[in-house]
PDB file of all heavy atoms in Angstrom:
ATOM      1  N   ASP Z  44      99.305  88.620  45.663  1.00  0.00           N
ATOM      2  CA  ASP Z  44      97.876  88.505  45.377  1.00  0.00           C
ATOM      3  C   ASP Z  44      97.196  87.975  46.582  1.00  0.00           C
ATOM      4  O   ASP Z  44      97.177  86.782  46.879  1.00  0.00           O
ATOM      5  CB  ASP Z  44      97.664  87.572  44.169  1.00  0.00           C
ATOM      6  CG  ASP Z  44      96.284  87.781  43.518  1.00  0.00           C
ATOM      7  OD1 ASP Z  44      95.579  88.744  44.042  1.00  0.00           O
ATOM      8  OD2 ASP Z  44      95.963  87.087  42.598  1.00  0.00           O
ATOM      9  N   LEU Z  45      96.520  88.909  47.384  1.00  0.00           N
ATOM     10  CA  LEU Z  45      96.009  88.559  48.688  1.00  0.00           C
ATOM     11  C   LEU Z  45      94.490  88.563  48.647  1.00  0.00           C
ATOM     12  O   LEU Z  45      93.861  89.326  47.894  1.00  0.00           O
ATOM     13  CB  LEU Z  45      96.471  89.598  49.701  1.00  0.00           C
ATOM     14  CG  LEU Z  45      97.944  89.800  49.911  1.00  0.00           C
ATOM     15  CD1 LEU Z  45      98.265  90.859  50.877  1.00  0.00           C
ATOM     16  CD2 LEU Z  45      98.656  88.492  50.216  1.00  0.00           C
ATOM     17  N   GLU Z  73      85.001  89.506  41.719  1.00  0.00           N
ATOM     18  CA  GLU Z  73      86.331  88.943  41.719  1.00  0.00           C
ATOM     19  C   GLU Z  73      86.448  87.658  42.532  1.00  0.00           C
ATOM     20  O   GLU Z  73      87.061  86.729  42.039  1.00  0.00           O
ATOM     21  CB  GLU Z  73      87.329  89.950  42.322  1.00  0.00           C
ATOM     22  CG  GLU Z  73      88.732  89.375  42.361  1.00  0.00           C
ATOM     23  CD  GLU Z  73      89.847  90.264  42.709  1.00  0.00           C
ATOM     24  OE1 GLU Z  73      89.588  91.463  43.186  1.00  0.00           O
ATOM     25  OE2 GLU Z  73      91.010  89.861  42.576  1.00  0.00           O
ATOM     26  N   ASP Z  89      84.384  94.642  42.100  1.00  0.00           N
ATOM     27  CA  ASP Z  89      85.615  94.331  42.799  1.00  0.00           C
ATOM     28  C   ASP Z  89      85.375  94.712  44.264  1.00  0.00           C
ATOM     29  O   ASP Z  89      85.154  95.943  44.573  1.00  0.00           O
ATOM     30  CB  ASP Z  89      86.828  95.138  42.329  1.00  0.00           C
ATOM     31  CG  ASP Z  89      88.131  94.654  42.849  1.00  0.00           C
ATOM     32  OD1 ASP Z  89      88.135  94.062  43.930  1.00  0.00           O
ATOM     33  OD2 ASP Z  89      89.190  94.793  42.176  1.00  0.00           O
ATOM     34  N   LEU Z  91      87.057  94.664  46.941  1.00  0.00           N
ATOM     35  CA  LEU Z  91      88.118  95.458  47.594  1.00  0.00           C
ATOM     36  C   LEU Z  91      89.262  95.637  46.647  1.00  0.00           C
ATOM     37  O   LEU Z  91      89.936  94.557  46.355  1.00  0.00           O
ATOM     38  CB  LEU Z  91      88.576  94.727  48.923  1.00  0.00           C
ATOM     39  CG  LEU Z  91      89.151  95.535  50.064  1.00  0.00           C
ATOM     40  CD1 LEU Z  91      89.503  94.698  51.228  1.00  0.00           C
ATOM     41  CD2 LEU Z  91      90.248  96.464  49.658  1.00  0.00           C
ATOM     42  N   ASP Z  92      89.430  96.741  45.987  1.00  0.00           N
ATOM     43  CA  ASP Z  92      90.527  96.880  45.099  1.00  0.00           C
ATOM     44  C   ASP Z  92      91.611  97.665  45.796  1.00  0.00           C
ATOM     45  O   ASP Z  92      91.389  98.687  46.339  1.00  0.00           O
ATOM     46  CB  ASP Z  92      90.046  97.756  43.891  1.00  0.00           C
ATOM     47  CG  ASP Z  92      91.184  97.894  42.857  1.00  0.00           C
ATOM     48  OD1 ASP Z  92      91.606  96.846  42.383  1.00  0.00           O
ATOM     49  OD2 ASP Z  92      91.545  99.039  42.557  1.00  0.00           O
ATOM     50  N   GLY Z  93      92.848  96.980  45.818  1.00  0.00           N
ATOM     51  CA  GLY Z  93      93.925  97.515  46.627  1.00  0.00           C
ATOM     52  C   GLY Z  93      94.052  96.733  47.911  1.00  0.00           C
ATOM     53  O   GLY Z  93      94.347  97.305  48.948  1.00  0.00           O
ATOM     54  N   THR Z  94      93.854  95.433  47.874  1.00  0.00           N
ATOM     55  CA  THR Z  94      93.917  94.547  49.044  1.00  0.00           C
ATOM     56  C   THR Z  94      95.225  94.686  49.735  1.00  0.00           C
ATOM     57  O   THR Z  94      95.338  94.701  50.981  1.00  0.00           O
ATOM     58  CB  THR Z  94      93.572  93.147  48.668  1.00  0.00           C
ATOM     59  OG1 THR Z  94      92.214  93.158  48.121  1.00  0.00           O
ATOM     60  CG2 THR Z  94      93.604  92.195  49.946  1.00  0.00           C
ATOM     61  N   THR Z  95      96.327  94.670  48.973  1.00  0.00           N
ATOM     62  CA  THR Z  95      97.622  94.736  49.652  1.00  0.00           C
ATOM     63  C   THR Z  95      97.791  96.059  50.399  1.00  0.00           C
ATOM     64  O   THR Z  95      98.295  96.069  51.583  1.00  0.00           O
ATOM     65  CB  THR Z  95      98.805  94.668  48.593  1.00  0.00           C
ATOM     66  OG1 THR Z  95      98.505  93.471  47.770  1.00  0.00           O
ATOM     67  CG2 THR Z  95     100.087  94.496  49.214  1.00  0.00           C
ATOM     68  N   GLY Z 161     100.363 100.674  37.512  1.00  0.00           N
ATOM     69  CA  GLY Z 161     100.246  99.607  38.469  1.00  0.00           C
ATOM     70  C   GLY Z 161     100.798  98.365  37.819  1.00  0.00           C
ATOM     71  O   GLY Z 161     100.800  98.322  36.517  1.00  0.00           O
ATOM     72  N   PHE Z 162     101.273  97.398  38.551  1.00  0.00           N
ATOM     73  CA  PHE Z 162     101.806  96.138  37.967  1.00  0.00           C
ATOM     74  C   PHE Z 162     102.007  95.100  39.044  1.00  0.00           C
ATOM     75  O   PHE Z 162     102.305  95.449  40.182  1.00  0.00           O
ATOM     76  CB  PHE Z 162     103.058  96.371  37.173  1.00  0.00           C
ATOM     77  CG  PHE Z 162     104.068  97.259  37.864  1.00  0.00           C
ATOM     78  CD1 PHE Z 162     105.001  96.794  38.730  1.00  0.00           C
ATOM     79  CD2 PHE Z 162     104.041  98.629  37.475  1.00  0.00           C
ATOM     80  CE1 PHE Z 162     105.905  97.577  39.309  1.00  0.00           C
ATOM     81  CE2 PHE Z 162     105.035  99.448  38.099  1.00  0.00           C
ATOM     82  CZ  PHE Z 162     105.970  98.933  38.960  1.00  0.00           C
ATOM     83  N   HIS Z 163     101.968  93.867  38.628  1.00  0.00           N
ATOM     84  CA  HIS Z 163     102.285  92.752  39.526  1.00  0.00           C
ATOM     85  C   HIS Z 163     103.748  92.615  39.500  1.00  0.00           C
ATOM     86  O   HIS Z 163     104.392  92.710  38.470  1.00  0.00           O
ATOM     87  CB  HIS Z 163     101.628  91.485  38.915  1.00  0.00           C
ATOM     88  CG  HIS Z 163     100.392  91.108  39.639  1.00  0.00           C
ATOM     89  ND1 HIS Z 163     100.431  90.681  40.916  1.00  0.00           N
ATOM     90  CD2 HIS Z 163      99.083  91.046  39.232  1.00  0.00           C
ATOM     91  CE1 HIS Z 163      99.124  90.417  41.294  1.00  0.00           C
ATOM     92  NE2 HIS Z 163      98.359  90.657  40.270  1.00  0.00           N
ATOM     93  N   ARG Z 186     102.738 104.909  41.666  1.00  0.00           N
ATOM     94  CA  ARG Z 186     102.287 103.467  41.564  1.00  0.00           C
ATOM     95  C   ARG Z 186     101.568 103.334  42.883  1.00  0.00           C
ATOM     96  O   ARG Z 186     102.122 103.094  43.916  1.00  0.00           O
ATOM     97  CB  ARG Z 186     103.449 102.568  41.447  1.00  0.00           C
ATOM     98  CG  ARG Z 186     103.103 101.161  41.172  1.00  0.00           C
ATOM     99  CD  ARG Z 186     103.097 100.313  42.393  1.00  0.00           C
ATOM    100  NE  ARG Z 186     103.251  98.916  42.103  1.00  0.00           N
ATOM    101  CZ  ARG Z 186     102.240  98.028  42.116  1.00  0.00           C
ATOM    102  NH1 ARG Z 186     101.083  98.461  42.372  1.00  0.00           N
ATOM    103  NH2 ARG Z 186     102.483  96.757  41.870  1.00  0.00           N
ATOM    104  N   GLY Z 188      98.596 101.317  43.672  1.00  0.00           N
ATOM    105  CA  GLY Z 188      98.151  99.994  44.126  1.00  0.00           C
ATOM    106  C   GLY Z 188      96.694  99.758  44.172  1.00  0.00           C
ATOM    107  O   GLY Z 188      96.224  98.771  44.754  1.00  0.00           O
ATOM    108  N   SER Z 189      95.852 100.619  43.538  1.00  0.00           N
ATOM    109  CA  SER Z 189      94.412 100.367  43.370  1.00  0.00           C
ATOM    110  C   SER Z 189      94.064 100.915  42.023  1.00  0.00           C
ATOM    111  O   SER Z 189      93.947 102.141  41.805  1.00  0.00           O
ATOM    112  CB  SER Z 189      93.656 101.037  44.442  1.00  0.00           C
ATOM    113  OG  SER Z 189      92.279 101.122  44.051  1.00  0.00           O
ATOM    114  N   ALA Z 190      93.910  99.985  41.037  1.00  0.00           N
ATOM    115  CA  ALA Z 190      93.610 100.479  39.690  1.00  0.00           C
ATOM    116  C   ALA Z 190      92.330 101.290  39.619  1.00  0.00           C
ATOM    117  O   ALA Z 190      92.230 102.270  38.929  1.00  0.00           O
ATOM    118  CB  ALA Z 190      93.512  99.266  38.681  1.00  0.00           C
ATOM    119  N   ALA Z 191      91.299 100.866  40.382  1.00  0.00           N
ATOM    120  CA  ALA Z 191      90.046 101.560  40.348  1.00  0.00           C
ATOM    121  C   ALA Z 191      90.188 102.973  40.810  1.00  0.00           C
ATOM    122  O   ALA Z 191      89.679 103.991  40.170  1.00  0.00           O
ATOM    123  CB  ALA Z 191      89.005 100.806  41.159  1.00  0.00           C
ATOM    124  N   ASP Z 193      93.075 104.621  40.912  1.00  0.00           N
ATOM    125  CA  ASP Z 193      93.905 105.331  39.896  1.00  0.00           C
ATOM    126  C   ASP Z 193      93.075 105.985  38.832  1.00  0.00           C
ATOM    127  O   ASP Z 193      93.266 107.134  38.478  1.00  0.00           O
ATOM    128  CB  ASP Z 193      94.858 104.410  39.265  1.00  0.00           C
ATOM    129  CG  ASP Z 193      95.948 103.706  40.220  1.00  0.00           C
ATOM    130  OD1 ASP Z 193      96.087 104.358  41.294  1.00  0.00           O
ATOM    131  OD2 ASP Z 193      96.474 102.656  39.967  1.00  0.00           O
ATOM    132  N   GLU Z 207      97.998 100.579  32.579  1.00  0.00           N
ATOM    133  CA  GLU Z 207      98.342  99.252  33.185  1.00  0.00           C
ATOM    134  C   GLU Z 207      98.062  98.087  32.231  1.00  0.00           C
ATOM    135  O   GLU Z 207      97.158  98.250  31.305  1.00  0.00           O
ATOM    136  CB  GLU Z 207      97.621  99.051  34.531  1.00  0.00           C
ATOM    137  CG  GLU Z 207      98.081  97.821  35.285  1.00  0.00           C
ATOM    138  CD  GLU Z 207      97.779  97.779  36.718  1.00  0.00           C
ATOM    139  OE1 GLU Z 207      97.335  98.827  37.341  1.00  0.00           O
ATOM    140  OE2 GLU Z 207      97.992  96.675  37.380  1.00  0.00           O
ATOM    141  N   ASP Z 209      97.086  93.893  31.746  1.00  0.00           N
ATOM    142  CA  ASP Z 209      96.545  92.636  32.375  1.00  0.00           C
ATOM    143  C   ASP Z 209      95.614  92.841  33.556  1.00  0.00           C
ATOM    144  O   ASP Z 209      95.684  92.062  34.498  1.00  0.00           O
ATOM    145  CB  ASP Z 209      97.700  91.650  32.722  1.00  0.00           C
ATOM    146  CG  ASP Z 209      98.552  91.351  31.500  1.00  0.00           C
ATOM    147  OD1 ASP Z 209      98.000  91.263  30.389  1.00  0.00           O
ATOM    148  OD2 ASP Z 209      99.829  91.229  31.628  1.00  0.00           O
ATOM    149  N   LEU Z 210      94.885  93.877  33.547  1.00  0.00           N
ATOM    150  CA  LEU Z 210      93.851  94.121  34.599  1.00  0.00           C
ATOM    151  C   LEU Z 210      92.664  93.269  34.273  1.00  0.00           C
ATOM    152  O   LEU Z 210      92.522  92.607  33.117  1.00  0.00           O
ATOM    153  CB  LEU Z 210      93.517  95.566  34.706  1.00  0.00           C
ATOM    154  CG  LEU Z 210      94.592  96.435  35.361  1.00  0.00           C
ATOM    155  CD1 LEU Z 210      94.216  97.944  35.217  1.00  0.00           C
ATOM    156  CD2 LEU Z 210      94.804  96.064  36.865  1.00  0.00           C
ATOM    157  N   ASP Z 214      88.532  95.411  37.892  1.00  0.00           N
ATOM    158  CA  ASP Z 214      89.376  96.543  38.260  1.00  0.00           C
ATOM    159  C   ASP Z 214      89.035  97.852  37.516  1.00  0.00           C
ATOM    160  O   ASP Z 214      89.280  98.915  38.012  1.00  0.00           O
ATOM    161  CB  ASP Z 214      90.889  96.226  37.815  1.00  0.00           C
ATOM    162  CG  ASP Z 214      91.391  94.986  38.472  1.00  0.00           C
ATOM    163  OD1 ASP Z 214      91.295  94.890  39.722  1.00  0.00           O
ATOM    164  OD2 ASP Z 214      91.937  94.111  37.831  1.00  0.00           O
TER     165      ASP Z 214
HETATM  166  C1  IPD F 301      94.954  94.984  42.150  1.00  0.00           C
HETATM  167  C2  IPD F 301      95.047  96.513  42.173  1.00  0.00           C
HETATM  168  C3  IPD F 301      96.485  96.957  41.705  1.00  0.00           C
HETATM  169  C4  IPD F 301      96.802  96.386  40.322  1.00  0.00           C
HETATM  170  C5  IPD F 301      96.611  94.849  40.300  1.00  0.00           C
HETATM  171  C6  IPD F 301      95.230  94.453  40.835  1.00  0.00           C
HETATM  172  P1  IPD F 301      93.301  93.827  43.903  1.00  0.00           P
HETATM  173  O1  IPD F 301      93.606  94.602  42.565  1.00  0.00           O
HETATM  174  O2  IPD F 301      94.136  97.127  41.350  1.00  0.00           O
HETATM  175  O3  IPD F 301      96.585  98.316  41.595  1.00  0.00           O
HETATM  176  O4  IPD F 301      98.093  96.792  40.030  1.00  0.00           O
HETATM  177  O5  IPD F 301      96.929  94.373  39.037  1.00  0.00           O
HETATM  178  O6  IPD F 301      95.044  93.063  40.785  1.00  0.00           O
HETATM  179  O7  IPD F 301      93.940  92.440  43.882  1.00  0.00           O
HETATM  180  O8  IPD F 301      93.901  94.641  45.021  1.00  0.00           O
HETATM  181  O9  IPD F 301      91.787  93.771  43.858  1.00  0.00           O
END
Side-chain angles (χ1 to χ4, degrees):
D44 201 0
L45 306 178
E73 180 174 9
D89 193 334
L91 206 179
D92 184 58
T94 298
T95 308
F162 42 86
H163 262 290
R186 189 263 202 257
S189 163
D193 296 339
E207 189 161 347
D209 300 328
L210 288 170
D214 299 310

